[in-house]
């Protein structure tokens, strides 16, 4: 099985995968557990489910941080169980999931990864059935879990998962470690506000562990730094959209690589 577990707090585990540098979560309780994201296709979801069953036999609940394929297309392996997500996550999966599946299957095939392409192409997209608008509180094995949506950011349906008793926040792709943030489906102007909401979650502290959707877990200082970079990109987007700055000048001023910055600019102007 590809992947490794990291215990980031009391009975809070992160499974790290080399494929897309993905991080998914597992919160263990007494008689129940919470799975945060399910990987990118039916086979990957089944592998994750099998690895969780090596850790616990307790019934699970699933939370999807956002609708992008690498975080949500493995959900079918966990059914039947409650699957929580933002309401716009379900909408996006219905409207755009099949096209995303085709696009990413083609992307893998073009890179010679026919096995992943085949698995993805044959994956049935499972939909969340417990929908969140702005926030919700749930329990997993007696542990209180806070789900919060702070508006658009990396996507239009980002859901933050906070485990207060462990001081851990699963950020999905609102936070990215090891690569620049992905703006392909983002709202560059709103993203800083979403991070402000994450940073202001009641019960978080200077010692909070934040689990990005990709890359190793980070601390609050990392998130503050990335928030400042994302805010700088938002300012550049506004200046280009208003005509005060040309794109090439914005690219030179950006904290992120040229291609990342151009994608962000294209989302606004």
């Amino acid at each position: 099985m590809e992947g490794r577990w990291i215990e980031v707090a009391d009975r809070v585990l992160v499974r790290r995968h080399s494929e897309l540098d993905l991080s998914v979560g597992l919160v263990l309780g007494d008689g129940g557990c919470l799975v945060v994201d399910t990987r990118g296709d039916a086979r990957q979801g089944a592998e994750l489910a099998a690895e969780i069953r090596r850790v616990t036999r307790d019934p699970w609940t699933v939370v999807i941080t956002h609708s992008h394929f690498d975080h949500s297309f493995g959900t079918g392996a966990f059914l039947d169980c409650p699957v929580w997500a933002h309401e716009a996550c379900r909408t996006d999966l219905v409207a755009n999931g099949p096209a995303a599946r085709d696009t990413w299957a083609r992307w893998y095939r073009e890179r010679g990864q026919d096995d992943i392409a085949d698995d993805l192409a044959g994956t049935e997209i499972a939909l969340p059935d417990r929908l969140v608008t702005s926030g919700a509180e749930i329990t997993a094995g007696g542990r209180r879990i806070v789900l919060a949506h702070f508006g658009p950011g990396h996507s239009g349906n980002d859901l933050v998962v906070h485990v207060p008793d462990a001081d851990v926040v699963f950020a999905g792709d609102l936070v990215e470690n090891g690569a620049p943030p992905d703006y392909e489906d983002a709202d560059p102007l709103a993203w800083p506000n979403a991070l402000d909401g994450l940073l202001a979650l009641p019960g978080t502290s200077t010692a909070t562990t934040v689990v990005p959707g990709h890359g190793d877990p980070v601390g609050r200082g990392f998130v503050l730094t990335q928030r400042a970079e994302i805010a700088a990109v938002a300012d550049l987007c506004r200046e280009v959209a208003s005509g005060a700055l040309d794109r090439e000048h914005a690219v030179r001023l950006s904290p992120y690589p040229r291609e990342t910055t151009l994608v962000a600019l294209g989302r606004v102007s």
Side-chain angles (χ1 to χ4, degrees):
M1 295 290 184
E2 189 266 329
R4 59 187 174 90
W5 291 112
I6 303 171
E7 186 166 13
V8 296
D10 177 35
R11 296 176 297 163
V12 179
L13 307 178
V14 176
R15 190 156 181 86
R16 296 283 290 112
H17 295 275
S18 59
E19 173 61 30
L20 300 180
D21 201 19
L22 188 74
S23 292
V24 300
L26 176 63
V27 182
L28 302 170
D30 297 322
C33 66
L34 182 75
V35 179
V36 182
D37 286 345
T38 59
R39 303 192 68 200
D41 60 45
R43 178 186 57 79
Q44 291 180 5
E47 289 179 352
L48 176 61
E51 287 302 302
I52 291 172
R53 281 293 172 245
R54 293 167 64 92
V55 176
T56 178
R57 303 301 300 179
D58 288 339
W60 46 43
T61 295
V62 169
V63 175
I64 301 301
T65 60
H66 62 295
S67 56
H68 293 163
F69 87 99
D70 48 332
H71 297 265
S72 66
F73 279 18
T75 299
F78 294 87
L79 300 180
D80 291 319
C81 74
V83 181
W84 290 82
H86 187 263
E87 59 189 3
C89 175
R90 181 185 175 101
T91 300
D92 187 54
L93 287 171
V94 171
N96 302 310
R101 179 179 56 201
D102 294 345
T103 295
W104 284 100
R106 184 166 57 252
W107 185 87
Y108 279 109
R109 205 171 301 284
E110 288 170 353
R111 283 154 181 78
Q113 295 176 279
D114 289 344
D115 54 342
I116 298 178
D118 290 342
D119 290 334
L120 187 50
T123 293
E124 182 176 349
I125 300 170
L127 300 176
D129 61 349
R130 308 295 171 89
L131 304 182
V132 177
T133 301
S134 59
E137 289 193 10
I138 63 176
T139 59
R143 302 184 77 170
R144 174 173 165 260
I145 309 292
V146 177
L147 309 180
H149 172 68
F150 297 114
H154 168 74
S155 74
N157 56 83
D158 301 301
L159 200 62
V160 170
V161 182
H162 182 206
V163 188
D165 69 10
D167 203 8
V168 174
V169 176
F170 291 91
D173 286 1
L174 283 173
V175 178
E176 181 90 39
N177 183 15
D182 182 357
Y183 282 93
E184 290 287 347
D185 196 28
D187 185 329
L189 303 186
W191 198 332
N193 294 331
L195 289 173
D196 288 340
L198 185 158
L199 290 162
L201 274 166
T204 55
S205 71
T206 57
T208 298
T209 297
V210 178
V211 181
H214 303 267
D216 284 329
V218 299
R220 184 181 181 88
F222 181 98
V223 180
L224 287 166
T225 298
Q226 191 159 94
R227 191 268 179 210
E229 294 170 347
I230 289 172
V233 171
D235 289 341
L236 293 172
C237 288
R238 291 187 185 93
E239 292 189 56
V240 170
S242 71
L245 194 67
D246 65 67
R247 286 182 173 234
E248 286 305 314
H249 194 186
V251 166
R252 290 194 296 272
L253 293 173
S254 175
Y256 295 136
R258 175 184 179 84
E259 184 58 37
T260 299
T261 304
L262 288 175
V263 171
L265 293 171
R267 296 290 299 172
V268 177
S269 57

